[in-house]
């Protein structure tokens, strides 16, 4: 797969402006990125900016904490899909996972998967790996798998830590070929991307996608 097609080009800052989202979409079209990843309120605007392209829209749900109710995640998923999102990046309820409430976590994910499926949208489950032990990461992967999600994803980038090759490798080893793995959070250089892909990442979430592509072009000349 070509490098550009690994990227979910991301803008999730709380103070992101419409102009910044427009720039994000323009860059995604220019570089042929797989998708843009935005907060749900910007999905409709992003769709208007990308109507003449093949770039998909991913919307975050329950972001960045994951601690809202399942019903609110489902509603946000439906609203995002109606507006044009084809992928949903939902945050797992980390507190419930750490409390051992595994049925809750699985059902929370499954409800979002079901809501997204009605619009033929895939779901990525953000685990927030920096807050979890290896055992909990493995458990979270199995729960996401059981709930029918398409991806497990490392991080929001808002919890004090991001993706590491170690965690990507652990997640890929756990899910094998049954799911894909998205590495996100703190990925800023071409070297970072190479390490994540080597560890098993199928998708890269980054806000530095453009500078990474420029760096890659220089290194591969």
């Amino acid at each position: 797969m070509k490098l550009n097609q690994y990227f979910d080009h991301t803008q999730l800052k709380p103070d992101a402006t419409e102009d910044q989202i427009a720039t994000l979409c323009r860059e995604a079209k220019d570089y042929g990125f797989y998708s843009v990843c935005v907060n749900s309120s910007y999905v409709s605007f992003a769709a208007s900016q990308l109507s003449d392209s093949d770039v998909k829209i991913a919307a975050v749900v329950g972001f960045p904490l994951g601690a809202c109710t399942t019903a609110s995640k489902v509603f946000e998923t439906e609203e995002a899909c109606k507006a044009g999102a084809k992928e949903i990046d939902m945050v797992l309820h980390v507190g419930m996972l750490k409390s051992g409430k595994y049925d809750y976590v699985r059902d929370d994910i499954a409800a979002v998967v079901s809501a997204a499926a009605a619009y033929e949208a895939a779901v990525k489950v953000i685990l927030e790996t920096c807050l979890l032990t290896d055992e909990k990461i493995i458990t979270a992967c199995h729960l996401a798998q059981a709930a029918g999600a398409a991806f497990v994803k490392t991080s929001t980038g808002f919890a004090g830590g991001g993706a590491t090759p170690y965690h990507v490798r652990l997640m890929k080893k756990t899910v094998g070929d049954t799911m894909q793995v998205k590495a996100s959070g703190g990925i800023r250089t071409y070297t970072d991307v190479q390490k994540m892909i080597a560890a098993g990442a199928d998708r890269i979430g980054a806000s530095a996608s453009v500078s990474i592509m420029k760096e890659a072009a220089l290194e591969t000349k």
Side-chain angles (χ1 to χ4, degrees):
M1 187 164 68
K2 291 183 178 179
L3 181 63
N4 61 324
Q5 279 288 292
Y6 276 96
F7 286 102
D8 288 347
H9 191 34
T10 303
Q11 175 54 270
L12 297 170
K13 290 182 179 178
D15 61 344
T17 65
E18 200 169 77
D19 284 347
Q20 287 175 305
I21 300 300
T23 298
L24 185 84
C25 293
R26 184 173 64 252
E27 290 170 344
K29 288 193 289 186
D30 289 347
Y31 284 88
F33 293 137
Y34 187 85
S35 81
V36 295
C37 186
V38 297
N39 281 294
S40 57
S41 60
Y42 277 128
V43 171
S44 181
F45 178 74
S48 72
Q49 299 295 299
L50 295 169
S51 60
D52 59 345
S53 78
D54 294 327
V55 179
K56 292 181 172 59
I57 301 169
V60 292
V61 163
F63 193 86
L65 302 179
C68 54
T69 64
T70 299
S72 63
K73 290 180 181 179
V74 167
F75 180 78
E76 189 176 17
T77 296
E78 291 171 344
E79 290 292 293
C81 289
K82 287 175 186 175
K86 288 300 179 185
E87 296 189 336
I88 297 296
D89 289 30
M90 70 163 288
V91 187
L92 172 147
H93 198 310
V94 184
M96 289 294 191
L97 178 72
K98 294 177 81 168
S99 298
K101 304 292 186 181
Y102 300 144
D103 287 349
Y104 180 101
V105 175
R106 183 198 61 232
D107 293 347
D108 187 56
I109 299 167
V112 171
V113 169
S114 178
Y119 299 89
E120 299 182 343
V123 173
K124 310 186 194 91
V125 181
I126 306 172
L127 308 188
E128 209 67 282
T129 49
C130 67
L131 302 179
L132 301 174
T133 63
D134 287 4
E135 179 184 3
K136 292 295 187 186
I137 290 170
I138 291 168
T139 298
C141 286
H142 287 317
L143 293 169
Q145 193 174 38
F151 281 77
V152 281
K153 174 178 169 181
T154 57
S155 321
T156 63
F158 284 75
T164 67
Y166 175 81
H167 284 147
V168 170
R169 197 172 296 111
L170 176 63
M171 291 160 68
K172 193 62 180 177
K173 181 180 178 182
T174 303
V175 302
D177 295 330
T178 66
M179 300 178 75
Q180 297 189 76
V181 175
K182 177 176 172 180
S184 65
I187 300 172
R188 298 185 178 90
T189 68
Y190 180 44
T191 299
D192 290 339
V193 170
Q194 288 176 304
K195 288 178 180 178
M196 297 304 169
I197 293 173
D202 302 285
R203 194 80 62 81
I204 302 293
S207 57
S209 320
V210 170
S211 63
I212 291 168
M213 290 296 295
K214 289 177 178 177
E215 184 185 350
L218 289 173
E219 289 196 20
T220 54
K221 272 188 176 180

